Every structure is written in structure tokens, then in C-alpha cells.
Amino acid sequence: MSSLKEICGGLPLDPLPSNRGRDPNVPHAPIRTPKLTAEEERLALKNALRYFSPSHHSTLAPEFAQELRQYGHIYMYRFCPTIRMRAYPIDQYPCRSRQAASIMLMIMNNLDPAVAQFPQELVTYGGNGQVFSNWAQFRLVMHYLSEMTDEQTLVMYSGHPMGLFPSLPSSPRAIITNGMVIPNYSSKEQYEKMFALGVSMYGQMTAGSYCYIGPQGIVHGTMLTVLNAGRRYLGSGDLSGCVFVTSGLGGMSGAQAKAAVIAGCVGVVAEVDEAPLRKRHEQGWLMEVTSNTEHCIKRIREAKSSKTALSLGYHGNIVDLWERLLLEYERTGELLVDLGSDQTSLHNPYNGGYYPVQLSFRQANQLMATDPKRFRTTVQESLCRHIRAINKLSDAGMFFWDYGNAFLLEAQRAGADVGKVGGGPTEFRYPSYVQDIMGDIFSLGFGPFRWVCTSGDPQDLAVTDNIAATVLEEMSANVTDRVRQQYDDNIHWIREAGKHKMVVGSQARILYSDQKGRVSIALAINQAIADGRVSAPVVISRDHHDVSGTDSPFRETSNVYDGSAFCADMAVQNFVGDAFRGATWVALHNGGGVGWGEVMNGGFGLLLDGSDEAGKRARLMLNWDVSNGVARRCWSGNSNAYETIQRTMEDNRQLRVTMPFPVQDEHILDRALQG
């Protein structure tokens, strides 16, 4: 068993570690199909070998070539460490910089088998959200981080550590970019080749930025979405007896089962892959499991009637479940489902993100590797069936929304009936949850703020939970009614969080907070570290899916209607602005959520160590990190954002935002254009 000291020692070359290949006891990524030419295969092999001196090439070349042809990528399984991969307490990492140690902790959490979807392929979530491209990169990064000082910055190019470069103590310790491809070449087909060549990487959102905290990271957002969907569509925040049907129990989607129960409804989640379904059941996130649609119908009816909160995992295809629910409605006139959505990984539809109903799980994996063209057609046919069932149930009274996973986008591309009559380029028959349910909370400055207690001590997490709840309770007395509802939801969440046992991996927590709340919570936690009430530093971060972090016309910016929904200035400006305002590390990604070429997003990590300097950084950076996106949303014409940024300017006289003047008389436009 290797140690932290060993994995921080660089590439083990003398002797080479034994090649143990794939571990049969963990789930593995689907076989990739990059369709390389003979010359491209040769280039991929040369690119992989450049991490090693020529004396090792004759040994490594044949096995790397075999990996490339067998799995569609060179993962370098030989160099996968034997250490138990997890977030070790920060003091256990060999280092010269505490900031660097915090990055090591977060990396190892992303690769913890309890957290990661395909740990040996370095995939954290979403089917293809990579932390690194191969295990040589992991070992080199850990080595660099263990040796760096606070006057160096690690530069990361799509998983590859370009090296340590001199910088200032105030500079980020790591600058990460993933998938920065020239726009005209940013297609999914080109990506598969570039990833196989080892020159680019899809970091999803928080996989490649090292900020994933397990499915808890999305539980809270999912709970708020379901709760607000009930308020909007059903006219009530009391969801007892309400049935929510969806799909996916993987890295992100696994949150749905827990979120449904916390929201008080009956959550039925379909999953074709037994491994994540079993994992969620063993973790206690899923209460019951069945592979029988008749039993599903029976349990839905029982839980609906008794108004019992339930999370039921259906081991099977979501299309079969939707069609069975439709059949029940057609037979009996009873609509058993109230709310519906989907969290299959349709940003990656043809490489394991979506499994067509016509094939078993095993058959689908075989076909996607042996006949990708036929598999694509099969997926598209399945999507059309999928939508037909949803459309009929929706016509009967079910409320459905897109969860920002490119479900409606890919269904439209497959020819399914999802168009909105008279709709714009980002609008479909069903709304995105950002457009219809959650979008305006971004305009209020609310988004997924999170922190990680680097001690690994649950007591530290309990203390920070109490700090956050107390801060929000004190602030809630002086806010508008609309903002107060968000505060109340989050205070309830954080007070109940420990009871729901959501920690998987690092001792982490998430809540939705606005700008004032984030700054106040960060400063209060920093003071608690200084006072010794929290025993070790705390990393603060957020999901990239936030107010300012993501430009995504089919999700985060789908409710931006001034024509700029397809522009990415906000996310890029946020990355740059966070970097020089105090972030410990920053990341900018192509892709994430909706998929490669569809979105630009970024994130940060910031280490609170109890120092005045850490407090100064947190105050400056967090204020920018929220105000940037609110200002952009204000300029696009959003009235809530206008009011929010106006209040923020009143609180901070150094902030001056260009405010829009709306056209009050549309007839002026008509007359001007007619003339």
C-alpha cells in the first residue's frame, strides 16, 4: 500500500510499479471511440511516452498501445496508486505550502471511490468529467504541489501540469484551464480525438477544478428545485403525497433520491446501471430498490395515498417507467405522477451518458464500442419514445422541466417533439429549471456556496454549520420578503443537514446564499479558525453552476434575453477577477453540465486559515464573484438583478455598475424600423 509521501514523490520509475490493470471491483468508464487514424494513434502513443525517459519506452509503449485500442484512451493504469484514495487531514500532506496541501486534499477527494464515478479512469462524475487525463499527470501534480512554495503557481493545461512558475504570495497557487479549444474546432467529434491524443480534457464543472464534494453538492440545489417546483406548479410548498419521477443515480443525479425525501415527496428514480444504484442504497440515500415496474406502480400508489416520503430506485430504463405510468393513466384515468424531470448525462449521449430503451445495459455498452453509428441511431429513437410518453403525461397534467443536462437539446436534435411555438433559440416546450424555477435566484445573487473542513473532523463541520445558520438568521431580519424566503429555506436546510447524513468523502457542506451571506459566513468561519473553535483551515468554494461562474445558453443563462445568452464574457471575466482578488486556485472550463462546446464555466477554491489576509481575500473575491453576474443579468434587462445590484452599490460606494435604461414605449421601435 503506497503512502502520501510516496505518491508525492513523483513518477515511480526505478523500479516501475507492476501493471495491475483494471480493478474488477470498481465501476469503469465506457469504452471510448475516438476513431483515430493510424497516424493519430502513433501521435497519441508518442504524447503519452513523453512523460517517461526513453529507457522505459520499450516497456510502456506496448501496454499504452493496448489501452488505447482496448479502451479508446491511455489511462496509464500501471501508475494508479495503491493508497486508499480519500481526503486525508490537511496536516498529513507533505508540503511547503498549506495552500498547496489544501489543493492535494481536494484532488484526492475527487478520486475517492466513494465519491468518484469511475475512479480508475479519473472520472469524478457525469460519465466523462475528468480530474486528469492519466495517472502520470496525477503523480506529477501531487509532486509539484508537495514541493511548491507560496511564491510559485502550478499551471495546468487540460490535466497536464505545465510546471511551477514564479509568482507572488498573493497569486493563486494553481491556474487550471480545461478544454480551451479554438471555437470552430470545439465539436464533440474533435473532442474525442483530442482527449485520446492526450491534448485536451473535459473537466465537467467541479471535476477538473478539484471542487466536487460528492452528491451532497447537488442535493441542496435539487431539494430547492423540487420545493420551488411544487410552489410554482402545484401551488404549495407541502409536497407530501406528491410524486416526482426522474432518472439517474450517478455522481450528480444521485442527489435526487435524498433531495426528494428531504422535500417530503415520493421520489422515483430510474437507473440502468446497477453499480451506482447499489452504491446509493448502501449509503442510505435510496430507501428502496426494485426492478419490477408493477411493484413501482404499487409502491407509488401506497406512498401517494399515505403521504409518506419515499425514495424508490427503479433498476431499469426510464423510458420503460414513463411508458408504464402512461399505460396506468390510459387504463385507469389515474395520473400517478405530479412532477417529472431527467438527469441522464445527455451532455454525453453517445458514450455512456444515455442508455436506449431498446437494449440492455450490457448490449448498449457493446454496441457503442462496436458500431457507434448504429448506437447513435438507437439513442435517437429512444429519445423520441422518451419524449412521446412525457408529452402525453404532461398533457394529462404532469409538470415536467429540463434539468440542464441537455435532455431537451439532444431530444430536439433526435427529432422529438419538444419545440416551443414562437420560442427563441434557447426555449423548448418544457422550461429549463433555471428559466422557470431557479433562474431569478441567480438574479438575487443566490447560488451554491460550499466549504470543506480540512481537518476531516465531523465536529468542525458541525461548528461551521452552526456558524452559517446563525449568520443567516441574524441577516434575515433585514431583507426583502422575496429574499427572506430564500434565507428561510437555507436556514432550515443547514439546521437539518447533519441529521440527513449527507457527507460522502470530505467533511463538506453546501447552502445557497447571496453575496452578503457568503462574505459574512466566510469571515465568521475564518474568525472561528483564528479563535480555535474550528481546528484546521477551511476551503471555501462553489459550484460553477452559479450567479457568475457559467455562461450556458441552455441552462445558467437561459433566462438572458438580450441576445447575449451565447456570449461567454461573464465566465471568463469571473475566472480572471477571482484570480487577482485572492483565490487560492481558479479554473476555467469548456463544457460542463450541458456538454462540450455548449458552455464556458469557471470556479475557485480559497483557503481560510484564520489570518487577516485570508479574511481580506475572502471579502474582496466573494463580493466580485457574485456582483459580476448580477451586473451582467441587470444589463440584460432582469428587474430583480437591477434591484439587487442597486442595493449592493448603496452598500459599497466603490462599486459602480453601468445601469440600463429600458425602452418604455415599444411604438418608438416600430416607428423607427418602419421609417
Side-chain angles (χ1 to χ4, degrees), residues 43 47 50 133 157-158 193-201:
L43 182 58
N47 287 347
R50 59 186 166 176
S133 182
Y157 281 30
S158 288
K193 285 198 173 191
M194 286 186 279
F195 182 59
L197 291 173
V199 297
S200 196
M201 189 182 88

Side-chain angles (χ1 to χ4, degrees), residues 224-247:
L224 286 177
T225 301
V226 174
L227 202 60
N228 284 312
R231 288 169 179 153
R232 182 176 181 88
Y233 300 139
L234 307 178
S236 173
D238 179 5
L239 298 185
S240 55
C242 167
V243 177
F244 170 51
V245 174
T246 183
S247 58

Side-chain angles (χ1 to χ4, degrees), residues 97 148-153 164-173:
S97 163
M148 80 183 306
T149 71
D150 284 341
E151 293 185 338
Q152 291 173 302
T153 293
L164 294 175
F165 292 77
S167 62
L168 299 169
S170 59
S171 304
R173 298 282 70 82

Side-chain angles (χ1 to χ4, degrees), residues 13 20 48 64 114 140 169 217-218 282 313 318 347 396 412 442 458 488 506 597 604 626 649:
L13 302 174
R20 293 170 290 114
F64 287 176
L140 284 173
I218 197 68
E282 289 170 354
I318 182 61
H347 65 275
Q412 183 184 60
F442 285 166
D488 289 347
S506 59
F604 72 86
V626 179
M649 284 193 287

Side-chain angles (χ1 to χ4, degrees), residues 399-640:
F399 294 95
F400 186 89
W401 68 88
D402 181 275
Y403 221 115
N405 57 336
F407 173 61
L408 295 180
L409 182 63
E410 290 299 335
Q412 183 184 60
R413 289 169 176 169
D417 179 17
V418 294
K420 179 180 180 180
V421 178
T426 64
E427 293 179 291
F428 297 98
R429 175 173 179 164
Y430 304 106
S432 156
Y433 77 114
V434 173
Q435 284 175 306
D436 219 37
I437 304 170
M438 299 289 279
D440 266 353
I441 72 168
F442 285 166
S443 300
L444 297 170
F446 281 84
F449 179 63
R450 54 178 63 163
W451 62 90
V452 176
C453 297
T454 67
S455 64
D457 185 351
Q459 181 56 35
D460 277 349
L461 184 59
V463 171
T464 57
D465 281 350
N466 187 58
I467 288 170
T470 301
V471 165
L472 295 184
E473 285 166 349
E474 290 172 354
M475 293 177 64
S476 66
N478 301 306
V479 295
T480 64
D481 289 343
R482 187 182 179 101
V483 170
R484 185 174 294 109
Q485 183 179 319
Q486 299 299 329
Y487 270 61
D488 289 347
D489 284 347
N490 282 280
I491 291 165
H492 177 73
W493 158 265
I494 204 73
R495 289 294 187 199
E496 297 286 308
K499 182 178 76 175
H500 291 294
K501 299 179 180 177
M502 287 176 295
V503 169
V504 177
S506 59
Q507 292 293 320
R509 186 69 73 223
I510 183 172
L511 60 76
Y512 270 56
S513 181
D514 62 355
Q515 183 170 324
K516 275 188 178 180
R518 299 185 207 203
V519 172
S520 300
I521 290 168
L523 294 178
I525 290 175
N526 193 54
Q527 187 60 51
I529 298 165
D531 295 344
R533 288 175 287 137
V534 173
S535 68
V538 171
V539 171
I540 59 171
S541 182
R542 58 161 170 76
D543 196 345
H544 297 198
H545 164 69
D546 196 12
V547 179
S548 311
T550 298
D551 283 296
S552 178
F554 296 102
R555 197 162 80 171
E556 285 81 356
T557 47
S558 59
N559 65 337
V560 170
Y561 300 114
D562 68 344
S564 70
F566 291 88
C567 300
D569 300 81
M570 180 177 72
V572 176
Q573 287 279 357
N574 223 66
F575 162 79
V576 175
D578 284 353
F580 67 74
R581 286 180 174 87
T584 306
W585 71 97
V586 289
L588 183 67
H589 297 183
N590 171 6
V594 183
W596 179 269
E598 308 282 3
V599 50
M600 293 288 287
N601 63 90
F604 72 86
L606 194 159
L607 186 69
L608 300 175
D609 60 7
S611 66
D612 291 342
E613 174 65 19
K616 181 182 175 182
R617 288 178 179 227
R619 184 190 300 276
L620 192 62
M621 198 216 72
L622 289 173
N623 275 313
W624 154 257
D625 193 67
V626 179
S627 281
N628 172 39
V630 177
R632 184 267 178 98
R633 293 166 193 277
C634 165
W635 185 247
S636 76
N638 187 291
S639 59
N640 285 322

